[in-house]
């Protein structure tokens, strides 16, 4: 066995041992431990501390440094508790008791779309517990084809994919999935995509949380070429562990829109949906995610920033 595979397998064993420990621990205890781990990661070890503080400073310029520090700690708490909820989901969430853990908001919109004779593109961000949302969607009888990047560790990837597909969710690889996506849309299936992944210098740039961010153009193209409505979903924690609100934030249907939108306009639309849910519950977003990474030349960045600022002023006028 190659050295990398040995290391990967050892990491896999450690992670599985940790998950087994979490599953054997009551969720109320997991929540308390998550608070400690959040304090450790944010205040002591300062993991990605500069990046998180920079992200929060740009997104919420009105917050003072102490307020940003508290928000960063709450964000880490969300991430730690999210892992615990994922570990407990197969044992806690069933088709007979889901209503004790999840409240629905405007979900009839998604059901109507899923039962229709048209393809549907579901969008979500690195917000709330999107992994449990995918698990619940399949459990409730509405499985999706989800595009996800494979983990670098093949053993962890296989284990995570088994969790994701355990209720009927079908995982498509991020690379080379174009033919499968076309087939899903042609057969009126439901495609699920994380919409806030960095698309690099050649992506579609729109303003997100007060800074330019790059989005994949393919998301808009899928809707424009297939006529599929875009449905923005979220699952946010509303109280203690495993207590969620599962909702539809908005829908863009090219068939009923007053005027056709281009790639830029469609991207701006779902970006606004994401920003709305993040601003309501900022601690449930992945601020450790380097969402605003910009590798374009300085001159290009400056021109783009001026253009976006001008568009913002024109929209407000």
């Amino acid at each position: 066995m190659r050295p990398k595979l040995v290391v990967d397998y050892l990491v896999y064993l450690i992670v599985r041992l940790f998950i087994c420990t979490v599953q054997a621990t009551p969720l109320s205890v997991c929540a308390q431990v998550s608070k400690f781990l959040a304090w450790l990661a944010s205040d002591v070890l300062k993991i990605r501390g500069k990046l998180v503080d920079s992200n929060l400073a740009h997104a919420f310029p009105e917050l003072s440094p102490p307020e940003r520090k508290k928000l960063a700690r709450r964000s880490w708490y969300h991430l730690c508790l999210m892992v615990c909820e994922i570990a407990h989901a197969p044992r806690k969430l069933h088709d007979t008791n889901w209503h004790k853990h999840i409240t629905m908001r405007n979900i009839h919109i998604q059901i109507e779309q899923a039962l229709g004779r048209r393809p549907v593109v579901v969008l979500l961000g690195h917000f709330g517990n999107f992994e449990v949302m995918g698990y619940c969607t399949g459990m409730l009888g509405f499985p999706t084809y989800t595009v996800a990047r494979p983990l670098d560790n093949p053993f962890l990837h296989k284990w995570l994919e088994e969790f994701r597909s355990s209720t009927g969710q079908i995982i498509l690889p991020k690379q080379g999935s174009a033919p499968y996506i076309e087939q899903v849309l042609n057969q009126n299936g439901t495609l699920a995509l994380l919409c806030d992944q960095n698309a690099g210098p050649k992506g579609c740039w729109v303003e997100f949380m007060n800074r330019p961010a790059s989005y994949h153009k393919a998301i808009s193209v899928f809707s424009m070429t297939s006529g599929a409505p875009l449905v923005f979903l979220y699952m946010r924690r509303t109280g203690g562990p495993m207590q969620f609100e599962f909702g539809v934030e908005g829908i863009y249907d090219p068939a009923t829109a007053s005027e056709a939108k281009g790639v830029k306009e469609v991207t701006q639309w779902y970006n606004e949906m994401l920003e709305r849910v993040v601003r309501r519950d900022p601690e449930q977003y992945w601020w450790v995610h380097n969402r605003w990474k910009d590798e374009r030349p300085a001159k290009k960045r400056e021109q783009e920033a001026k253009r976006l600022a001008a568009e913002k002023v024109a929209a407000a006028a």
Side-chain angles (χ1 to χ4, degrees):
M1 186 178 287
R2 290 176 295 175
K4 183 180 183 305
L5 283 180
V6 173
V7 174
D8 285 344
Y9 191 69
L10 289 175
V11 171
Y12 164 76
L13 290 178
I14 293 171
V15 171
R16 288 306 307 272
L17 180 61
F18 169 76
I19 292 298
C20 289
T21 303
V22 170
Q23 290 174 331
T25 305
L27 267 173
S28 57
V29 177
C30 289
Q32 295 301 316
V33 174
S34 294
K35 289 182 179 180
F36 169 75
L37 293 177
W39 168 79
L40 187 66
S42 179
D43 293 38
V44 179
L45 301 178
K46 300 185 186 299
I47 300 174
R48 300 203 126 188
K50 291 183 179 180
L51 174 63
V52 172
D53 188 66
S54 174
N55 288 342
L56 292 176
H58 281 90
F60 303 101
E62 71 278 9
L63 295 183
S64 65
E67 289 172 327
R68 293 199 303 270
K69 186 176 181 180
K70 289 180 181 179
L71 181 53
R73 191 184 308 131
R74 295 203 308 272
S75 176
W76 274 106
Y77 169 71
H78 163 71
L79 290 175
C80 294
L81 188 54
M82 178 182 174
V83 173
C84 298
E85 289 167 337
I86 293 170
H88 277 268
R91 302 183 182 188
K92 295 287 186 181
L93 290 175
H94 307 285
D95 55 2
T96 57
N97 72 346
W98 64 266
H99 58 280
K100 296 180 180 179
H101 300 276
I102 303 170
T103 57
M104 300 293 192
R105 178 176 174 270
N106 296 331
I107 205 65
H108 66 280
I109 299 174
Q110 169 61 10
I111 294 174
E112 290 170 0
Q113 296 297 331
L115 294 178
R117 296 184 178 180
R118 299 170 61 195
V120 180
V121 178
V122 168
L123 299 180
L124 52 151
H126 288 87
F127 171 83
N129 202 324
F130 54 90
E131 290 286 359
V132 171
M133 181 171 69
Y135 178 86
C136 290
T137 302
M139 182 184 65
L140 295 175
F142 299 97
T144 61
Y145 290 83
T146 303
V147 178
R149 186 184 74 82
L151 298 180
D152 295 330
N153 187 314
F155 304 104
L156 285 177
H157 171 73
K158 182 181 178 182
W159 172 72
L160 182 59
E161 192 165 280
E162 287 175 354
F163 165 77
R164 287 170 167 171
S165 61
S166 60
T167 59
Q169 186 179 194
I170 301 169
I171 307 300
L172 301 177
K174 188 175 180 181
Q175 299 296 329
S177 61
Y180 301 103
I181 291 174
E182 183 178 1
Q183 185 178 0
V184 169
L185 296 177
N186 287 339
Q187 295 177 352
N188 298 333
T190 300
L191 180 67
L193 301 166
L194 277 168
C195 69
D196 59 341
Q197 301 193 73
N198 190 288
K202 296 183 179 180
C204 181
W205 291 83
V206 298
E207 187 175 286
F208 173 55
M209 306 297 287
N210 302 325
R211 275 193 291 175
S214 177
Y215 290 81
H216 287 280
K217 298 175 183 177
I219 295 175
S220 301
V221 173
F222 291 152
S223 175
M224 294 165 62
T225 56
S226 68
L230 298 176
V231 182
F232 193 96
L233 298 180
Y234 67 87
M235 179 172 273
R236 70 184 187 93
R237 191 179 301 106
T238 56
M242 209 67 81
Q243 295 296 320
F244 303 109
E245 179 184 83
F246 186 8
V248 175
E249 185 63 24
I251 178 172
Y252 168 70
D253 189 343
T256 59
S258 57
E259 59 181 52
K261 295 180 183 290
V263 170
K264 184 83 171 180
E265 291 78 17
V266 173
T267 304
Q268 185 67 58
W269 174 82
Y270 66 74
N271 174 74
E272 290 172 358
M273 296 298 104
L274 175 61
E275 182 161 337
R276 269 170 30 180
V277 299
V278 170
R279 288 197 178 277
R280 284 203 300 265
D281 298 278
E283 70 280 0
Q284 295 191 40
Y285 189 63
W286 283 31
W287 298 107
V288 297
H289 180 202
N290 192 3
R291 180 65 192 91
W292 294 269
K293 182 168 56 178
D294 194 343
E295 298 174 344
R296 297 173 299 171
K299 186 176 181 180
K300 182 70 174 177
R301 294 200 302 268
E302 191 175 311
Q303 291 175 345
E304 185 72 13
K306 289 181 179 179
R307 185 185 64 79
L308 291 175
E311 288 180 357
K312 191 174 183 180
V313 171

